[in-house]
Amino acid sequence: MTLIVCITLIFISITPSYIKGVLIFFSALLFFPAFREKLTQDCFRKVKVALLTSMLLPIIFMIDLFTFSSSSVTDYFEALIGTLFILILFGFYGSIGTIFYGIPASIFADYFSNKFGGKIRIFISGFLHIGLGFATYFIVPEYLLFTVCASAIFFMLDEIAKGLKHNTWLMRGVS
């Protein structure tokens, strides 16, 4: 029922139709049990990694945005307010993209790369993660750098989370 409400909200929003199509496609994937099983695998590891990526990405971009050409107090204050505004925008829209596009892309990359064993699996998975980040160029070309960085961070955090023991905070069950 919740999924139907989300899809209805997507239909009535003023979001561009190509973005609506991507959101509806990946939301509809939740109807398939195999996809839901991968999503809930390892105590919602993919969801936790997506949320962590959504929190880290704006901070990384803030380092680049927080450079000043002037040292006056008003310029400093305006730059600080502008940086915080950009942080909020990057965090909000980045989290939507990471959850609705990044998680399914990561599940696809893991599914395909798990057919290979050993060290080659990591390279194939990384190539697919970053390649699918590049693929968003055809949807929203303005955010190419943002999406490639997000996909690389998502890949690294997901590989780290796979290697962690089950007693860490990232791998604990949801209560």
Side-chain angles (χ1 to χ4, degrees):
M1 182 66 176
T2 306
L3 186 61
I4 294 171
V5 171
C6 289
I7 291 174
T8 305
L9 288 174
I10 290 171
F11 271 123
I12 63 172
S13 73
I14 59 171
T15 306
S17 59
Y18 57 89
I19 295 177
K20 283 183 187 180
V22 171
L23 291 175
I24 290 170
F25 173 74
F26 287 125
S27 298
L29 285 176
L30 293 173
F31 282 119
F32 299 103
F35 184 80
R36 280 196 312 261
E37 180 184 330
K38 289 289 184 185
L39 186 65
T40 59
Q41 179 181 1
D42 294 333
C43 301
F44 292 93
R45 183 189 81 231
K46 297 276 187 202
V47 175
K48 292 175 185 178
V49 167
L51 293 174
L52 191 57
T53 301
S54 299
M55 289 186 288
L56 285 177
L57 195 61
I59 293 170
I60 291 171
F61 275 92
M62 184 184 76
I63 294 169
D64 184 42
L65 292 170
F66 206 58
T67 57
F68 306 112
S69 60
S70 177
S71 61
S72 71
V73 175
T74 57
D75 288 342
Y76 177 77
F77 182 71
E78 287 175 5
L80 181 65
I81 295 299
T83 302
L84 291 175
F85 181 71
I86 294 292
L87 265 175
I88 292 170
L89 282 178
F90 270 89
F92 178 71
Y93 288 112
S95 64
I96 290 173
T98 305
I99 290 170
F100 283 106
Y101 183 77
I103 292 175
S106 179
I107 290 173
F108 169 75
D110 283 350
Y111 174 77
F112 187 75
S113 66
N114 281 338
K115 294 183 179 190
F116 301 95
K119 301 247 183 226
I120 191 78
R121 184 203 63 80
I122 294 174
F123 291 114
I124 291 173
S125 181
F127 178 76
L128 287 173
H129 276 86
I130 294 172
L132 290 168
F134 272 114
T136 59
Y137 173 78
F138 299 109
I139 300 172
V140 202
E142 300 85 24
Y143 299 116
L144 178 65
L145 178 65
F146 186 75
T147 57
V148 170
C149 288
S151 61
I153 292 170
F154 194 103
F155 165 69
M156 288 187 283
L157 290 176
D158 195 33
E159 288 300 319
I160 290 170
K162 282 181 191 175
L164 292 177
K165 302 292 182 207
H166 288 284
N167 60 355
T168 61
W169 68 271
L170 188 60
M171 299 306 288
R172 281 193 205 130
V174 178
S175 54

